[in-house]
Amino acid sequence: MTRYFFDIMNGNGDIRDETGLEFSTDAQVESEIAKILSDIVREEVISERNGRVIVIVRDEGGRERFRGSLVFSVEAAG
């Protein structure tokens, strides 16, 4: 198992993960990235109408291993 750290950049200040989570496969890490992105957007869409969230995943050596991002926009129709 490898420990990965999930840093978040969302325009409201960067959040550096100092604890991390352990995963044994890349697919598990990718699934966690998707979960983090969807959770953040669900919370932020209440206060922010437009935004971009980036999750940067580092390994135990501090090397960037994965990057996920999501751009969202909420607009009234009509």
Side-chain angles (χ1 to χ4, degrees):
M1 297 261 261
T2 303
R3 182 168 294 275
Y4 295 96
F5 300 87
F6 296 79
D7 301 332
I8 299 169
M9 300 181 341
N10 65 355
N12 294 325
D14 300 347
I15 301 169
R16 186 170 175 89
D17 180 4
E18 300 294 342
T19 305
L21 297 169
E22 290 186 347
F23 295 101
S24 56
T25 68
D26 288 354
Q28 291 172 322
V29 176
E30 292 167 359
S31 178
E32 183 66 16
I33 292 169
K35 179 184 177 300
I36 290 169
L37 289 171
S38 64
D39 288 348
I40 291 171
V41 170
R42 189 178 306 105
E43 293 170 9
E44 287 192 5
V45 80
I46 294 168
S47 62
E48 302 288 330
R49 304 295 264 168
N50 303 290
R52 180 175 184 194
V53 181
I54 301 169
V55 177
I56 298 171
V57 182
R58 298 175 285 116
D59 64 15
E60 294 169 305
R63 292 177 302 273
E64 183 177 327
R65 296 288 309 277
F66 300 88
R67 182 179 287 239
S69 65
L70 184 62
V71 177
F72 64 93
S73 175
V74 178
E75 300 172 7

